[in-house]
Amino acid sequence: MRFAPSPTGHLHVGGARTALFNWLFARHHRGLFILRVEDTDAARNRPEYAQAIYDGLRWLGLDWDEGPDKGGPYEPYLQSRRAERHLQVARELLQRGLAYECFCQPRTADNVADGSSLASDDGDEENVGGANSFAPKTTLACTCAKLSAEERDAKREEISPALRLRVPKGADFVVEDLVRGTVTFPNDMVEDFVLVTGDGRTLYNLAAAVDDHDMAITHVIRGEEHLANTPKQQLIYEAMGWKAPRFAHIPIILNAQRRKLSKRDGATSLVEYQAMGYVPDAVVNFLALLGWSPGGNRELLSRKELVELFDLDRVVKHPAIFDTAKLGWLNKEYIKAAPVSDLAARVTAFIDADHRRTSAGADWKIIPSYVEKVAALLHDRVKTTTEVLELGSYFFTRGPIAPDPEAVAKYCTEPVAIDRLREVRECLARLEPFETHDVEQAIRQLAAAKGIKPSEYIHPLRVAVTGKSVSPGIFEVCSILGRDVVLQRIDALVAFLRAADATAKAGR
Ligand code: GLU
């Protein structure tokens, strides 16, 4: 099995899903999983995209088993390093009369080096699901196949020829696909295609077929946009007398409106999910369900279970729908199931990265035991790691917090609120120890002594400490923040309410 991405963009969720299906299939059948970077299109490749692919696969835990070096961890194969071998095969096909020289002006469609832009990625609904819609729509006008040896010699003086495969005429082409069944391409849909351009570049179908053969790939699992390339690659295997691998073309991924997933739907590249605080195991689980299911409505599956259950017979033909809500649900389940220390470690890593980015780290150090307490409090509530920083923003704010005006309007009506805040401040100022239980008991006793409900203290205290009208248990929040911060925040809210009151009076 192999994953053969072109490093011409960030690792897209679709690419990550292709990599995962290959990896799961390899692990399930105890085969080998190879990473081959198809970097033959010098104009469109960028090293940082190749790096993003390695980082993305490593983040997902999709390790590869082989490479050009000896002993792991392996470097990936780079297709560009194998150009001489691709040329050797093309020359052999020419010598055996199975390819011929073409002296026509190159056409764009002939020149795609890595196969990636042959993919139907324009979101055109007509292209969704129809096998033949991916086939070339033009017929070859080139007549170079008929040139005599003398004519070829003469033309070669002026122009260096491309090489085209001589595609047999007459019979239709059939792909026996492990997902889509028998797919037939009418004969005239596969023209004599270019193997090597006039300037000596070997193109995708040749390079992919030679590499898949040389790397002993038994199963090619890839996106359905490559289906139309498959008869061409099969023709190369046949011409060379090689056994072709089995092919499995996995379904396109669409958004909830059944249109191609685009930036408008949110994140489409893997790094964005990483940055939003998704957990790799949840993303793996989610990607596995894009076009495959174990049956029986099972959705929450560990990596081990996925490896045990995954096979191609349960991959569907119809488009897979990218359901962001499902990803959020899965991520929440994975966060809940993992120990609090995992969440705390992720949150700490986020804060560290953020500090490095904003160079704020020097004056504010995060104490691990503090993050651990916050993580424990929010563990069952958050969908992503970053939500800890959003929902619990008041735990990570150094200066005064801006109270939510609605919360103030609802729970801090004057003149009572200032009194309540001053009473609760006085009570907490002398409280020792300051654990959750102590804070709770002190506030309840205070309320009893004053003959009022504890909520009369709890609501304004919550606004003071969190700025919000809803939060996890306020006694616990107070004990995590510590007395100094709690008192400072009560003072700040009192000052804020006084100032607001003075402005209101002045306005009257
Ligand atoms: N390099 C091709 C792409 O990125 C992969 C084609 C294949 O898997 O054969 O789309």
Side-chain angles (χ1 to χ4, degrees):
M1 273 51 66
R2 84 323 190 254
F3 176 48
S6 308
T8 52
H10 276 293
L11 184 57
H12 186 268
V13 286
R17 192 266 315 247
T18 301
L20 176 64
F21 278 26
N22 278 285
W23 184 86
L24 287 173
F25 190 75
R27 294 290 170 266
H28 177 87
H29 291 284
R30 298 179 194 285
L32 296 179
F33 174 63
I34 287 174
L35 173 61
R36 182 175 77 225
V37 176
E38 304 209 319
D39 59 343
T40 50
D41 193 337
R44 293 166 66 225
N45 289 330
R46 297 244 297 267
E48 60 270 34
Y49 289 141
Q51 190 58 46
I53 292 169
Y54 313 150
D55 293 346
L57 294 180
R58 287 188 184 119
W59 182 67
L60 289 176
L62 307 185
D63 50 336
W64 52 95
D65 305 312
E66 216 185 275
D69 48 346
K70 298 237 175 343
Y74 298 99
E75 291 295 312
Y77 286 109
L78 296 182
Q79 192 162 60
S80 57
R81 304 248 168 100
R82 297 181 36 83
E84 193 38 53
R85 165 68 178 149
H86 307 144
L87 278 173
Q88 182 200 342
V89 170
R91 275 188 228 111
E92 185 179 331
L93 290 169
L94 180 67
Q95 271 156 19
R96 289 170 43 207
L98 298 170
Y100 62 88
E101 292 168 315
C102 167
F103 300 91
C104 303
Q105 285 302 317
R107 300 177 311 169
T108 331
D110 291 334
N111 272 291
V112 177
D114 63 357
S116 57
S117 71
L118 288 176
S120 157
D121 59 2
D122 55 5
D124 178 352
E125 289 200 336
E126 277 177 18
N127 276 342
V128 175
N132 294 341
S133 55
F134 299 119
K137 294 194 174 65
T138 51
T139 355
L140 187 64
C142 160
T143 52
C144 298
K146 301 197 181 87
L147 293 175
S148 66
E150 293 74 39
E151 285 169 319
R152 284 201 303 270
D153 288 345
K155 280 193 183 271
R156 219 180 287 118
E157 298 281 297
E158 285 162 35
I159 187 163
S160 84
L163 293 186
R164 282 185 189 277
L165 191 80
R166 210 181 282 278
V167 173
K169 301 289 173 284
D172 292 344
F173 300 102
V174 174
V175 173
E176 294 297 347
D177 191 82
L178 290 169
V179 173
R180 310 179 71 91
T182 305
V183 185
T184 305
F185 292 83
N187 182 272
D188 61 3
M189 280 199 169
V190 185
E191 60 180 21
D192 292 353
F193 58 94
V194 175
L195 302 171
V196 184
T197 61
D199 56 6
R201 286 175 302 120
T202 52
L203 295 190
Y204 162 70
N205 283 307
L206 173 69
V210 173
D211 286 354
D212 284 340
H213 168 263
D214 288 1
M215 294 175 186
I217 302 299
T218 55
H219 292 74
V220 170
I221 304 171
R222 60 186 171 196
E224 69 172 30
E225 67 276 12
H226 284 291
L227 189 53
N229 292 320
T230 307
K232 297 182 181 176
Q233 293 170 17
Q234 283 181 340
L235 283 162
I236 296 173
Y237 298 115
E238 263 167 48
M240 290 303 292
W242 295 336
K243 185 172 181 312
R246 309 290 314 269
F247 291 93
H249 289 91
I250 59 181
I252 191 166
I253 303 174
L254 302 179
N255 67 13
Q257 291 72 43
R258 301 184 74 79
R259 303 195 71 89
K260 197 191 159 233
L261 204 59
S262 79
K263 280 272 150 218
R264 283 187 300 277
D265 304 307
T268 52
S269 70
L270 203 64
V271 278
E272 292 173 90
Y273 285 95
Q274 192 174 353
M276 285 189 290
Y278 286 88
V279 180
D281 281 349
V283 176
V284 161
N285 189 155
F286 175 73
L287 292 173
L289 300 175
L290 287 175
W292 173 82
S293 82
N297 287 336
R298 284 186 70 189
E299 296 205 297
L300 201 59
L301 296 139
S302 69
R303 194 177 288 260
K304 192 163 164 278
E305 288 170 318
L306 289 172
V307 168
E308 264 163 36
L309 297 169
F310 187 85
D311 219 337
L312 293 171
D313 51 359
R314 297 197 70 98
V315 175
V316 296
K317 277 190 231 178
H318 58 75
I321 305 296
F322 194 94
D323 178 354
T324 321
K326 188 196 276 186
L327 175 58
W329 168 74
L330 279 170
N331 208 57
K332 190 171 184 179
E333 294 301 313
Y334 275 86
I335 289 179
K336 264 202 291 193
V340 168
S341 54
D342 273 21
L343 179 61
R346 287 180 202 284
V347 172
T348 306
F350 261 91
I351 298 172
D352 280 348
D354 202 45
H355 282 178
R356 268 196 297 279
R357 200 165 44 75
T358 59
S359 7
D363 63 325
W364 196 49
K365 282 261 173 296
I366 278 291
I367 303 156
S369 60
Y370 178 78
V371 179
E372 183 105 14
K373 282 185 202 158
V374 175
L377 188 65
L378 298 173
H379 189 226
D380 289 352
R381 298 173 187 243
V382 290
K383 282 203 302 289
T384 62
T385 316
T386 41
E387 259 185 24
V388 174
L389 302 174
E390 289 153 21
L391 281 183
S393 57
Y394 48 86
F395 284 117
F396 303 102
T397 309
R398 271 168 287 178
I401 47 163
D404 167 18
E406 272 179 36
V408 173
K410 194 164 172 195
Y411 292 123
C412 302
T413 37
E414 276 310 313
V416 218
I418 291 184
D419 289 344
R420 296 284 175 261
L421 285 166
R422 281 163 58 184
E423 285 157 19
V424 80
R425 185 196 198 281
E426 201 184 303
C427 155
L428 295 180
R430 48 189 158 74
L431 186 66
E432 186 63 53
F434 203 77
E435 296 305 319
T436 308
H437 168 75
D438 309 307
V439 176
E440 173 163 8
Q441 217 179 26
I443 292 177
R444 290 196 190 285
Q445 276 168 6
L446 173 67
K450 302 272 177 190
I452 56 174
K453 283 191 281 177
S455 59
E456 299 241 3
Y457 289 113
I458 290 171
H459 290 315
L461 178 63
R462 172 173 286 124
V463 180
V465 168
T466 70
K468 302 170 194 254
S469 51
V470 226
S471 76
I474 189 63
F475 310 123
E476 202 164 353
V477 171
C478 286
S479 89
I480 295 174
L481 282 168
R483 192 198 342 259
D484 291 350
V485 173
V486 172
L487 299 185
Q488 274 164 25
R489 290 189 182 174
I490 296 176
D491 292 344
L493 184 60
V494 168
F496 174 88
L497 294 175
R498 280 214 179 105
D501 195 38
T503 321
K505 280 190 183 127
R508 250 180 251 145

